[in-house]
Amino acid sequence: MSSVSEDLGCRRGEFSRKHYGSVELLISSDADGAIQRAGRFRVENGSSDDSTDYTPGTWRRTDVHLENPEYHTRWYFKYFLGKVHQNYVGTDAEKNPFFLSVVLSDQNNQRVPQYRAILWRKTGTQKICLPYCPTKTLSVKSILSAMNLDRFEKSPREILNPEIQKDLLVLEEQEGSVNFKFGVLFAKDGQLTDDEMFSNEAGSESFQKLLNLFGDTITLKSWVGYRGGLDTKNDTTGIHSIYTVYQGHEIMFHVSTMLPYSRENKQQVERKRHIGNDIVTIVFQEGDEASSAFKPSMIRSHFTHIFALVRYNKQNDSYRLKIFSEESVPLFGPPLPSPPVFTDHQEFRDFLLVKLINGEKATLETPTFAQKRQRTLDMLIRSLYQDLMPDLHKNMLNRRSFSDVLPESPKSARKKEEARQAEFARIGQALKLKTIVRGDAPTSLATTGLCRKEPWESQCFCNSFTHEALGGDSWGQSLLVSTDAGVLLIDDGQPSVTVFDKTFQIKQMHVLENLDLLITRVDKGKEARLYVFRLSSIKKGLEDKQVMKSKYECRENKLEKTKGCHLYAINTHHSNELRIVAAIRNKLLLITRKNKQINSFTGFTVMSPSTESPVEEFQYIREICLSDPPVVMTLVDGPTGENDNMICVAYRHQFDLVNESTGESCRLHHVDASRVHFVAAIDVYEDGEAGLLLCYNYMCYYKKVCPFNGGSPLIQPSASDFHFSWNQVPNAVVCAFPYILAFTTDSIEIRLVVNGNLVHTAVVPELQLVGSRSDIYFKATAAVGSSSNSSSKDTSSHSSPMTPTGYELPVFPSSPGEVQCRNIYKIPLSNLVGRSIERPLKSPLVPKVITTPTSIGLSGIPVTHSLSLSRMEIKEIASRTRKELLGLSEESAPKSESSHKQKKLGRKPTDEDSKQETPDSPSTERINLGSFESNSEGQQHCSTSSDPDTNISVEESPPFNNSPFLLAASFDEDIVDLK
């Protein structure tokens, strides 16, 4: 509903792509000055635009994220393989075959049952998540309709052969490898050609120091891990190489000085054969900044798309980084700090590896690679479809629908179905084990040391909130929230205070502290109206402990002509004039303030002291008629603010832009779907120019809106426009650059604004957004158990729920003694955007001084790092799982040595590691969206693990043991001993 927290777009921050570099034409020349090659590359050097008032400064450690991480995107391996699920095959209206996989699973950190569906088509895969309702059946056609596939040439039929799992796993692996190979090229000072660089027989001391930072030196012969195309039998590609594991990804470095060198071959073809065929190449260049700089056009390669130029400064022991990306590569993060200098070597390693992994994934989306992947996917799908056709009449394909129910099925039929499902799960688990052994399994836990604090981590703001929240907004450090019991003012650690009684039902509200105004929409239907109040009067009433106000006592605060208002919006950008647009059925009423004065000290708009009633401050400008009542409405500020302000409205199957001055409207976007669920239209301003994020169903489109030309906005396709899909239909969307957050019924999906790439998904049961204009507040249900001695194995006793078949539906009971508790949580905006915001820091409840939270931690909250399990417990579980997989008994298996625990590939143990041995204090109140848990005292703490209930990724031993199980593999709990 659009009434949840007025606009889901008032949370923004600067939206700028300049932090990700600019495209330049780079020309390389030889020693004589003759031009050799030229190319267009996006250059990232960490510099910012001096004309803007925002300088990134040194980016925080928490801004470094793997984009589209495999443990969030490889659904089939994680949620389907080895579980009982259903697979379907059909052809669309264009006679193109498709496959659909559906599973019902509670395999997440909250054990919330969810449907997950994957649609395999030649254009790619589409993944959606649907809420589970035990009283509502789900059909194949309804799932396909949600994926915007409504017409079929052949209706989908179920595939019962368990061998289909192997083919579908191959389809998923077309998304890209989970392991990476990066080239490393050593360039001496003054070298200008690739022949000179590749001809360096040995590197320098600083180059060797960089290689030691990247990873471990391994012997290629008899190497059993990821080899990255190198010869591990006959030493034809060198004797040694550099290898590491980062967040579950095996990385092999093709080092130029370690590859075979030939004195007769000046072009060093053997070295170029490997490094020239790497998508990403690291160039280490000696010399100072004044020497000639490296340019990508110096390297003759049609395959390499990304170059990372690294320089080392001996004086301050720091590394400087510069990134070159081929023009067609989409934007990828993290953006370089300003200046791009790293004095912390471990931080530099983490930043560079994440940047390069994200860069290679982004390169796979370029037209060259995307077309090849699409052709391969189309060929595989058609081949699989043709293989299934001969068995069409041999009971391999079944016409049973996803929602068919056979309540009185014969007992023999049930036993036969149970045997088929057991065989189905057994074959899937064997495939999963085989994938893990060969090192292609997506992992979920970082394997590179400390658990770090993420910017979206929340803290409990109000415990045991029993009321139904209708909406809210921040007031200082407090939260003004409308409930079924009235309007409450809540402060952290303070008892709530009732401001208005339950007769005053607020559906929308804005707290404008700099204007001393509270704007509200009260009631619904024909009796709905807008009311305005002075915050200072409300605060004075609270200080004087006056009785709460009723609707009757607020009659003097209602704005006339707003009767029947079902929606309103205000301008949220930096503007001196407050504008309100109220929607009354299909009529828009424009309201502004009068008697405005500018405070020369604060720059804010204030009213003259003679004005007592806030109602008298507003004036009605004009009415605008639409064809239909708007469902979503957002105000967009024009570049001048004079006759070029716009209103974005959504109704029927379209988004329109309406000129505030003339009432003229034009089509912004047409929704091509049978059913439309409008979510939000978020106004963002990229480098001062207006743009809109249009969110509906599973889709989110970014549209650039150019300035008005002759009274009409210029809306035309732009290279800057992009779109992406959510995994679940959001109820609300909040933008806080560089992130955009989708709030669904049971999860928070966090992506990047500039490219829509996923960075994290947190399952939060019974989730509801309360307010987002300043800090983000949401209400959720956290399970608080009476005891916490159950392991992760105990809590996943039904970790493999069956997809509802024609025989029964799975039941998800609550654990005995479990109490449902509804709390309000807070995500500080300063943590998301990396800087504090301008607002009063005194709470309207108590005259206490609150310091501004820094970008590093939360004020007054202990910054602790916690795991759902201690390192020793993780070590024990991983060791036990490995023994089961190897078929060893508990008694005969040798004990693992604790000295291997700190051994990291490419990382030395630090003093901080020992601190991780101690579990969090029970008094810790910080909540991580990665996992809600409970301790023995019933208090909530969190896990920074992305998915602690499903995967454990631990590096038990150095890579020199010749066992594939010791290579930072990821083991799922549900893999059983295959006897």
Side-chain angles (χ1 to χ4, degrees):
M1 294 178 59
S2 58
S3 61
V4 178
S5 188
E6 121 286 343
D7 168 270
L8 304 156
C10 48
R11 180 64 35 257
R12 66 178 67 78
E14 285 74 6
F15 174 36
S16 177
R17 302 174 207 243
K18 292 183 178 179
H19 303 312
Y20 295 83
S22 58
V23 177
E24 300 178 11
L25 176 63
L26 301 180
I27 302 174
S28 63
S29 56
D30 56 19
D32 299 329
I35 297 177
Q36 289 184 321
R37 283 171 300 278
R40 293 181 61 84
F41 287 82
R42 180 182 298 107
V43 182
E44 295 184 61
N45 55 14
S47 62
S48 59
D49 188 358
D50 296 334
S51 63
T52 61
D53 58 354
Y54 173 54
T55 302
T58 301
W59 286 83
R60 295 172 294 122
R61 178 67 182 82
T62 49
D63 284 324
V64 180
H65 307 294
L66 282 177
E67 299 174 12
N68 295 326
E70 281 71 17
Y71 52 86
H72 281 314
T73 59
R74 298 295 178 92
W75 279 18
Y76 194 77
F77 178 88
K78 182 176 180 180
Y79 299 108
F80 292 74
L81 197 60
K83 311 288 199 310
V84 176
H85 62 278
Q86 289 175 275
N87 302 296
Y88 297 86
V89 61
T91 53
D92 58 21
E94 288 75 29
K95 299 184 178 181
N96 295 314
F98 66 84
F99 290 88
L100 175 70
S101 299
V102 186
V103 70
L104 176 59
S105 171
D106 68 341
Q107 191 177 347
N108 51 59
N109 59 326
Q110 284 296 304
R111 295 194 296 125
V112 175
Q114 296 173 319
Y115 288 106
R116 294 182 184 269
I118 306 176
L119 179 63
W120 318 84
R121 306 179 75 177
K122 70 174 186 179
T123 54
T125 59
Q126 185 178 354
K127 307 179 184 73
I128 65 171
C129 189
L130 298 167
Y132 167 72
C133 180
T135 60
K136 183 180 179 182
T137 58
L138 200 62
S139 67
V140 174
K141 291 188 176 181
S142 64
I143 296 175
L144 293 174
S145 178
M147 296 177 164
N148 205 23
L149 183 58
D150 297 302
R151 296 184 300 166
F152 314 101
E153 194 265 337
K154 288 185 180 180
S155 298
R157 299 180 181 182
E158 185 178 0
I159 308 171
L160 299 180
N161 191 335
E163 297 295 332
I164 188 65
Q165 297 176 93
K166 181 178 181 180
D167 299 302
L168 295 179
L169 183 62
V170 172
L171 293 182
E172 183 173 73
E173 289 174 349
Q174 302 309 307
E175 296 179 14
S177 173
V178 297
N179 302 320
F180 299 89
K181 53 188 181 72
F182 298 145
V184 182
L185 182 60
F186 174 67
K188 294 181 179 179
D189 189 12
Q191 291 184 338
L192 301 177
T193 65
D194 55 354
D195 288 345
E196 294 174 331
M197 300 175 192
F198 280 104
S199 296
N200 292 321
E201 188 172 357
S204 62
E205 180 183 351
S206 57
F207 180 63
Q208 186 60 44
K209 184 178 180 180
L210 178 68
L211 296 180
N212 294 337
L213 179 63
F214 284 162
D216 290 328
T217 302
I218 56 103
T219 302
L220 286 175
K221 197 166 187 177
S222 301
W223 173 251
V224 295
Y226 174 68
R227 62 188 185 92
L230 299 180
D231 181 14
T232 58
K233 295 182 179 180
N234 302 314
D235 290 337
T236 60
T237 58
I239 300 176
H240 300 95
S241 188
I242 302 296
Y243 168 90
T244 191
V245 175
Y246 186 82
Q247 296 200 15
H249 299 284
E250 292 184 74
I251 302 174
M252 181 67 76
F253 295 91
H254 293 162
V255 184
S256 61
T257 56
M258 290 184 172
L259 292 170
Y261 172 76
S262 174
R263 297 183 183 275
E264 293 77 19
N265 189 347
K266 294 183 178 180
Q267 292 188 357
Q268 303 299 328
V269 176
E270 184 62 26
R271 292 180 170 183
K272 290 182 179 179
R273 184 169 69 88
H274 290 282
I275 298 179
N277 286 314
D278 291 333
I279 294 177
V280 176
T281 296
I282 303 169
V283 179
F284 180 82
Q285 188 172 40
E286 290 193 319
D288 53 21
E289 294 298 321
S291 60
S292 57
F294 168 83
K295 295 180 181 179
S297 50
M298 296 177 179
I299 306 297
R300 288 171 290 185
S301 172
H302 298 288
F303 199 82
T304 306
H305 283 62
I306 296 173
F307 294 89
L309 178 62
V310 178
R311 287 180 180 270
Y312 177 69
N313 189 329
K314 291 184 179 180
Q315 295 180 352
N316 54 13
D317 192 26
S318 65
Y319 289 99
R320 175 177 285 270
L321 181 62
K322 191 174 185 178
I323 302 293
F324 300 90
S325 306
E326 204 274 335
E327 185 181 16
S328 62
V329 178
L331 295 179
F332 61 93
L336 267 64
S338 180
V341 176
F342 298 83
T343 55
D344 186 323
H345 292 184
Q346 184 62 38
E347 183 174 336
F348 169 68
R349 176 183 184 268
D350 292 348
F351 186 97
L352 181 61
L353 292 181
V354 171
K355 184 72 172 178
L356 300 186
I357 291 174
N358 291 341
E360 181 159 328
K361 291 180 182 179
T363 304
L364 297 179
E365 301 302 321
T366 59
T368 302
F369 289 95
Q371 291 170 6
K372 292 180 180 178
R373 184 174 65 251
Q374 181 173 331
R375 287 196 300 267
T376 303
L377 195 60
D378 185 24
M379 180 189 67
L380 291 174
I381 291 177
R382 291 185 181 276
S383 175
L384 179 58
Y385 180 75
Q386 293 298 327
D387 292 342
L388 293 174
M389 291 306 293
D391 299 316
L392 183 62
H393 303 293
K394 296 182 181 179
N395 296 326
M396 184 176 181
L397 295 179
N398 195 340
R399 288 186 177 276
R400 183 178 55 154
S401 170
F402 189 69
S403 60
D404 287 344
V405 178
L406 305 175
E408 301 297 332
S409 58
K411 187 175 182 180
S412 60
R414 288 201 302 269
K415 287 185 176 180
K416 185 177 180 180
E417 177 66 13
E418 289 174 358
R420 185 194 71 82
Q421 291 177 352
E423 178 67 7
F424 190 95
R426 187 193 69 81
I427 291 179
Q429 289 173 353
L431 283 171
K432 203 166 198 175
L433 175 60
K434 186 177 180 180
T435 306
I436 292 173
V437 170
R438 71 170 186 259
D440 292 334
T443 56
S444 66
L445 289 183
T447 58
T448 53
L450 297 179
C451 298
R452 66 186 186 217
K453 180 178 173 298
E454 300 290 3
W456 48 77
E457 288 184 11
S458 62
Q459 62 189 82
C460 188
F461 184 76
C462 177
N463 284 311
S464 302
F465 189 78
T466 58
H467 305 289
E468 178 186 357
L470 305 177
D473 199 359
S474 299
W475 184 1
Q477 290 290 330
S478 302
L479 174 66
L480 189 65
V481 57
S482 175
T483 70
D484 52 349
V487 180
L488 307 178
L489 188 62
I490 305 173
D491 196 6
D492 190 9
Q494 301 291 331
S496 62
V497 177
T498 305
V499 180
F500 302 99
D501 64 15
K502 61 181 180 180
T503 64
F504 199 70
Q505 292 284 322
I506 295 179
K507 308 296 183 182
Q508 256 183 292
M509 72 169 68
H510 281 85
V511 176
L512 307 178
E513 297 173 75
N514 58 330
L515 303 179
D516 193 30
L517 286 177
L518 169 64
I519 305 174
T520 63
R521 178 173 62 85
V522 182
D523 282 342
K524 59 182 179 180
K526 296 182 179 180
E527 299 301 320
R529 293 179 185 271
L530 295 187
Y531 288 74
V532 292
F533 301 89
R534 287 202 186 282
L535 292 175
S536 56
S537 299
I538 298 175
K539 183 177 180 180
K540 187 176 185 302
L542 295 175
E543 293 172 349
D544 298 341
K545 298 183 179 181
Q546 296 179 0
V547 182
M548 66 189 80
K549 289 187 177 183
S550 64
K551 180 180 176 182
Y552 178 79
E553 295 172 314
C554 300
R555 61 189 183 277
E556 299 297 329
N557 295 86
K558 62 185 177 183
L559 289 177
E560 299 300 332
K561 298 185 180 182
T562 61
K563 184 177 180 180
C565 173
H566 70 277
L567 182 68
Y568 83 91
I570 70 171
N571 59 315
T572 56
H573 197 47
H574 308 293
S575 175
N576 291 329
E577 182 183 45
L578 172 64
R579 308 192 315 279
I580 305 175
V581 174
I584 307 171
R585 293 181 294 278
N586 64 332
K587 181 178 65 176
L588 301 184
L589 183 63
L590 178 61
I591 306 171
T592 61
R593 296 178 73 212
K594 55 185 178 180
N595 299 330
K596 299 182 292 295
Q597 295 179 352
I598 304 298
N599 188 312
S600 59
F601 180 73
T602 64
F604 292 143
T605 303
V606 296
M607 301 303 297
S608 58
S610 60
T611 307
E612 297 181 357
S613 173
V615 176
E616 299 177 1
E617 301 177 7
F618 295 90
Q619 57 185 351
Y620 308 95
I621 306 300
R622 66 180 60 87
E623 292 181 359
I624 300 173
C625 290
L626 304 176
S627 58
D628 291 272
V631 180
V632 168
M633 184 168 59
T634 298
L635 304 191
V636 183
D637 290 338
T640 65
E642 299 177 0
N643 301 324
D644 57 2
N645 294 323
M646 296 165 281
I647 309 170
C648 178
V649 292
Y651 45 69
R652 293 202 305 258
H653 285 68
Q654 65 198 57
F655 288 89
D656 285 355
L657 273 181
V658 181
N659 189 321
E660 281 187 11
S661 301
T662 63
E664 296 180 2
S665 64
C666 59
R667 181 71 53 83
L668 177 63
H669 180 73
H670 176 73
V671 179
D672 186 16
S674 57
R675 294 182 180 180
V676 184
H677 170 70
F678 290 111
V679 180
I682 304 176
D683 58 318
V684 292
Y685 299 86
E686 182 179 0
D687 301 321
E689 296 183 358
L692 284 162
L693 285 166
L694 309 177
C695 302
Y696 62 90
N697 295 354
Y698 292 90
M699 302 302 301
C700 185
Y701 277 83
Y702 173 74
K703 293 281 188 178
K704 192 75 171 286
V705 180
C706 300
F708 275 79
N709 182 14
S712 298
L714 295 175
I715 304 172
Q716 54 190 0
S718 171
S720 60
D721 294 350
F722 64 91
H723 69 277
F724 60 88
S725 298
W726 302 103
N727 290 330
Q728 192 169 350
V729 176
N731 297 322
V733 175
V734 178
C735 184
F737 186 79
Y739 306 104
I740 181 169
L741 295 79
F743 290 78
T744 71
T745 56
D746 52 21
S747 68
I748 300 178
E749 193 172 328
I750 305 168
R751 294 177 178 266
L752 297 178
V753 178
V754 294
N755 52 22
N757 286 345
L758 178 69
V759 293
H760 187 71
T761 300
V763 176
V764 185
E766 296 189 40
L767 174 65
Q768 180 190 0
L769 180 66
V770 177
S772 64
R773 275 180 47 81
S774 183
D775 295 330
I776 298 173
Y777 297 89
F778 62 90
K779 187 174 73 169
T781 300
V784 181
S786 57
S787 64
S788 61
N789 53 7
S790 60
S791 66
S792 58
K793 285 266 186 185
D794 300 329
T795 59
S796 59
S797 58
H798 50 269
S799 62
S800 301
M802 291 162 39
T803 304
T805 64
Y807 301 96
E808 62 180 350
L809 288 173
V811 180
F812 296 90
S814 299
S815 301
E818 197 171 38
V819 179
Q820 297 298 320
C821 179
R822 304 174 71 86
N823 302 328
I824 293 181
Y825 298 94
K826 170 184 174 181
I827 304 177
L829 178 66
S830 58
N831 288 2
L832 289 171
V833 302
R835 56 197 174 101
S836 60
I837 55 176
E838 295 180 358
R839 57 191 170 94
L841 295 177
K842 288 188 177 181
S843 167
L845 285 180
V846 290
K848 63 181 180 180
V849 178
I850 303 175
T851 58
T852 306
T854 64
S855 61
I856 300 177
L858 303 178
S859 178
I861 304 298
V863 180
T864 59
H865 301 290
S866 63
L867 286 170
S868 57
L869 301 172
S870 69
R871 285 179 175 267
M872 294 302 296
E873 290 173 319
I874 291 177
K875 176 183 176 65
E876 180 182 354
I877 292 174
S879 177
R880 183 171 64 250
T881 306
R882 184 168 62 252
K883 293 172 188 175
E884 293 176 357
L885 293 172
L886 290 171
L888 300 177
S889 63
E890 189 74 30
E891 293 78 16
S892 61
K895 295 183 180 180
S896 60
E897 298 181 11
S898 60
S899 61
H900 290 327
K901 178 180 60 177
Q902 289 295 340
K903 177 65 178 176
K904 299 290 181 181
L905 293 177
R907 178 184 176 273
K908 296 180 179 179
T910 63
D911 294 336
E912 292 295 323
D913 292 322
S914 59
K915 300 178 182 179
Q916 300 298 315
E917 301 284 351
T918 305
D920 282 350
S921 170
S923 62
T924 301
E925 288 285 339
R926 183 176 59 83
I927 303 299
N928 179 5
L929 294 183
S931 173
F932 289 90
E933 294 193 4
S934 58
N935 55 29
S936 59
E937 298 183 13
Q939 294 173 310
Q940 294 173 350
H941 67 285
C942 70
S943 165
T944 54
S945 163
S946 299
D947 202 348
D949 289 343
T950 59
N951 291 297
I952 298 177
S953 178
V954 179
E955 291 182 302
E956 288 290 321
S957 304
F960 310 107
N961 296 320
N962 294 327
S963 172
F965 297 100
L966 303 180
L967 298 176
S970 168
F971 301 106
D972 277 30
E973 291 178 354
D974 54 279
I975 295 182
V976 298
D977 190 7
L978 304 176
K979 294 184 179 178

